[in-house]
Amino acid sequence: MTGPLLQGIRSVLRDLRAGELRVLVAAVCVAVASMTAVGFFTDRVGQAVAMRSAEVLAADLVVRSNRPIPGDYLDQAGEAGLATATGTSFPSVVVAGERTALADIEAVSEAYPLRGSVRTSATPYGEARPEGGIPATGEAWADPKLLARLDILPGSVIGVGALKLTVTRVLDYRPDQGWSFVDLAPTLLINEGDVPATGLIQPGSRVSYRQMFAGPRQALEAFRGVVEPRLGVSERIRDLQDAGPEIRRALERAQRFLGLAALVAVLLGAIAVAMAAARYARRQIDPVALMKAFGARQTYLLQMACAQLVTIALISGALGIGLGYLAQAGLSWLLADIAGGRLPAPGLRPMAAGLVLALVVLAGFALPSVMAIRRVPPLRVLRRDITAPPPSVWLVFGAAVATVLGLMLWQVGDLGLTGWLALGVAGLALALTGAATLLLWLAGRVRGSAGASWRYALAGLARRRSDSIVQVVAFGLGIMVLLLLAVVRGDLLGEWRASLPESAPNRFLINIQPDELTEVEAFFAGRDADANLMPLVRARLTHIEGRSVEGMEFASDRAGRLANREANLSWASGLQEDNRLTEGVWWTDPPAPGQVSVEEDFARDLGIALGDRLEFDVAGETFAATVTSLRSVQWDSFRPNFFMLFSPGTLEAFPRTHIGSLHVGRDDGSLLLELIRLFPSITVIDIDAMLGQVRRVMDQAAMAVQYVFLFSLAAGVAVLFAVVESGRNERMFESALLRALGARRRQILAGALIEFALLGVLAGLVAAGGAQVCGAIMAERVFGLDYAADPMLWLIGGATGLLLVAGTGLLATRSVVSQPPVTVLRRF
Amino acid sequence: MSEVNGRDTVLASRGLTKEVSSPEGPLTIVSGVDLEVRRGESVAVVGESGAGKSTLLALLAGLDLPSAGEAWLDGIDLTTLDEDGRAELRARRVGFVFQSFHLVPSLTAVENVMLPLELAGDRGAREAAGAVLDRVGLARRLHHYPRQLSGGERQRVAIARAFVGQPLILFADEPTGNLDAVTGKRIADLLFSLNAEQGATLILVTHDQSLASRCDRVVRLDEGRVA
Ligand SMILES: Nc1ncnc2c1ncn2[C@@H]1O[C@H](COP(=O)(O)OP(=O)(O)OP(=O)(O)O)[C@@H](O)[C@H]1O
Ligand SMILES: [Mg+2]
């Protein structure tokens, strides 16, 4: 039993010393390193990004109530190592001299905000800076709208109940300011210590209390588990999952970009392992034939092969994990700024995952070849030209693809992304095989009339026919994933950011009364501004296909909440720019009333299908409409959007207001002041902060993707070397022989250059096609973005293939031609 | 130098020495070999296994560089040329036959034979190659790959390849070592008759006494020295 195992281990150690295993070890190493580092990456950076979006709550977790919340939670959180803060908010009239205005008083405790920071400026709409703390007692920071209504500037003294406060700064932004339709009054931020002195909190007054918590995820989850069952009737818990759809969508996309980059690195690493493993298996043919001739049995050989693979997996896996750890360190350093040094240390899990990966990849890619070794005829000892029945290329690839698919799902857990990438890879492998076969056929036809270097190159391609095909496929796959990543990194990330241009709306206008509409429209038309005004009718959805919504069971809590709250309805004659029809047809012109177009996720959550009849209640009056289309909505466009949009003529009879959105430049503050002065009932909501958050998520995703891109690049280089290395022995022998016959270095290099250049250009062109198709499908299906194919990609693909493959090939061939021919010839 | 570089001298060496490092320290495998071979002469190099015959051949053909001493091929000092210079010299003036044939497996018989001419930039390589293959009796095997040929046939292709460029000097390292007696004799006959036809100089390494005796001169090596 120990015989074959020991022998296997010894042969691996011998090969290692002789440098025969370097490419295989390097390939496994890169795959494992990208996996561990990327696992860390998606996980930990995902957390960092989540922390960013936690700013929406100013904390990771918030408990709200309209009654004072007992201190137990705070104690509990303190014990669990969570940071805490408290806040109290209530509406109150603020007095300044003769003038008064209604304000939302936000009183907060010392540690506020636990996530993000408050920004203030010295003058209304002036340059803002982040604040380190909260207003001191006796001081207040006021929203510029409040200052406008009171007609005062910072430095003035205001009255809040019985208390006099000095306004020291203008409040530009606080993380949890929100922008819901009910957030009407401008904010006055004060110190919680001042609240009793106002004397405003009496039994029966409208006060909202909240406790905020932040800390490591496990601690938070545990805390939530303890607190949730004990919540009082009036107490509500909120965390990131409840953040608005804009941030959530941005986060989802960010995670997908990262997932894709990770998949690419692992996939490339796997291809490199496959190539290197095949070469390794080929090199075992002679010793195995010899051992067979001496009487070794099949099981003995198999056990020995397994021992070899496990030894290689352990050694290269350990190296890869070490490398992955280094990469993690680099990553933490790189992201220290963004994550604020809060990235938790990686645990043991990535280590285990790395080792498992090494074993799985080696087994998946090397075992089929190694099994084939067992069938090596002992006769090979006598006649060198009898090779093992070639390990069926398809068996190897089948095993490889199955392994990679499993890994991808395990790593990213995103079926759509994995599926499309896998389909793309499979389709491309087929296309590459076809193209390579065609090329080799063509090469065979022109070979007779070609010069020596060309003949030598073409003959090399043709003889290593199945090898050449596998090489084209491997090169092509490598180049395709790299191009795809470039597409994603450049075009898709660009597309994503372009979906949120500098000129994206950053102010929402609500509460525009129907009788003001024409004047408001004239106001904006006169100032050359577009306010995207849309009507808004508040209604309750009562029945779906005749069934009452009230008693309905929904798939998720979110769906239940959506169904049971008052919905915002609107109408439009045309489809908005940032909407896309996914099912059904848009109404024709002139539109028949009684039709509704429903946002697809909303429809899915509530179980609404095309053709369903929906019934609504508007302040006691009812009406119905038929679902004639479903839409997808790009929520992060920051334009007014609606779950349910009706055909004109359906809603006009009901009481309504209008809402709008517009972009206001830094210097256009006066436009809004003027608007508020002219139409005091209109509420302007500033969503600059929200936009900033989405942009920051995008920037972080872009940076993370680029970092992971480095791993993919390393993996791509490993593929190139593995492919070139796989033909190294033949090349070495042939070039030594040619030089004995009088070939100059230049001639041999020219032959190799031609061979690799042909392979590279072919692989590059097919890869460019594959990358475009895959990119377009992924853009549409996975990322929900528009992607216009870039014709430059053909050029880039062909050139990349040419340069990369020819360059690597030349490099490998140089080392082969630099030795005196006799040294090489002696070996054969 | 003049005495070794006379008109008729095509191959010469003085103090030719090759040292390699081994686990037991430096090892001299060819030691101080002085040699002079005239045009058209045939020389057999004999000696025990491990005596350094193949190494000497490689040094004389410029396939390897000596640790000390000099070698001239057609009057040109090999030690003054770089790798490419030596290759170019071989392309025009040298033919090889190896014990294990060493055909390029990806090329057909005729393509293998064409190689030396193409590498030297000659035109009409295909016709010349066809003619030589015809001469060695392989006219019907032109488009076969090496793996489709028997050992004897492969060596005939190798001989055709060696003679196609009408080399000045032919180096043969145990050309019959891998063949049975009958085939070996045929190959040897072919070698000598082609050599006679072209008037080439032949350096033949062999264990075979009868083969050695067919040469004009026999050089015996013993532990790297000319005995
Ligand atoms: N690169 C090298 N490193 C170490 N030893 C070498 C090297 N090349 C040759 N030798 C040794 O030099 C000696 C001569 O080798 P060579 O191949 O020239 O012998 P040979 O006379 O051709 O023998 P044979 O008749 O068996 O072919 C041998 O003992 C061999 O082991
Ligand atoms: Mg020898």
Side-chain angles (χ1 to χ4, degrees), chain A residues 826, chain B residues 20-21 27 29 48-55 174 207:
Chain A
R826 279 191 94 90
Chain B
V20 293
S21 52
L27 187 70
I29 50 182
E48 283 179 12
S49 180
K53 306 181 294 291
S54 298
T55 308
E174 300 188 38
H207 281 298

Side-chain angles (χ1 to χ4, degrees), chain A residues 3-248:
Chain A
L5 299 186
L6 261 181
Q7 191 153 12
I9 293 171
R10 242 187 267 129
S11 86
V12 167
L13 294 181
R14 198 165 48 239
D15 280 349
L16 265 181
R17 269 197 303 275
E20 288 291 346
L21 285 176
R22 58 187 174 177
V23 172
L24 183 59
V25 168
V28 177
C29 204
V30 167
V32 170
S34 19
M35 174 94 158
T36 40
V38 156
F40 167 83
F41 205 91
T42 33
D43 191 34
R44 300 306 191 294
V45 173
Q47 266 175 268
V49 171
M51 280 174 188
R52 267 294 180 207
S53 50
E55 292 180 8
V56 184
L57 296 175
D60 294 331
L61 195 80
V62 174
V63 176
R64 262 178 206 285
S65 175
N66 52 17
R67 302 209 192 111
I69 309 171
D72 319 3
Y73 304 152
L74 294 174
D75 299 341
Q76 193 99 38
E79 275 167 35
L82 299 177
T84 59
T86 56
T88 311
S89 59
F90 50 93
S92 170
V93 171
V94 177
V95 187
E98 298 291 286
R99 288 185 171 242
T100 61
L102 187 67
D104 171 32
I105 313 293
E106 286 285 338
V108 291
S109 72
E110 205 53 62
Y112 174 91
L114 298 177
R115 294 282 186 243
S117 56
V118 174
R119 281 201 310 267
T120 66
S121 57
T123 55
Y125 302 107
E127 183 109 3
R129 62 155 205 238
E131 286 290 343
I134 60 168
T137 48
E139 292 180 0
W141 299 342
D143 187 307
K145 277 171 289 200
L146 183 62
L147 295 179
R149 284 177 197 172
L150 293 174
D151 202 15
I152 55 171
L153 283 174
S156 311
V157 173
I158 54 174
V160 180
L163 181 68
K164 293 266 178 270
L165 293 167
T166 309
V167 177
T168 50
R169 303 281 299 170
V170 180
L171 185 62
D172 178 72
Y173 164 74
R174 65 187 167 90
D176 51 346
Q177 63 192 17
W179 54 290
S180 72
F181 291 128
V182 290
D183 229 352
L184 298 182
T187 304
L188 185 72
L189 192 70
I190 65 169
N191 194 303
E192 208 173 31
D194 281 337
V195 173
T198 62
L200 286 172
I201 299 197
Q202 310 287 342
S205 45
R206 221 154 47 83
V207 184
S208 163
Y209 299 90
R210 64 190 197 281
Q211 293 181 350
M212 294 164 264
F213 308 92
R217 196 165 54 179
Q218 275 95 350
L220 271 173
E221 269 162 21
F223 176 70
R224 187 176 182 145
V226 174
V227 166
E228 209 156 18
R230 289 172 31 195
L231 288 180
V233 272
S234 67
E235 291 167 4
R236 295 276 175 276
I237 201 162
R238 269 189 93 201
D239 71 7
L240 288 179
Q241 298 308 312
D242 309 313
E246 300 77 16
I247 293 280
R248 240 203 348 265

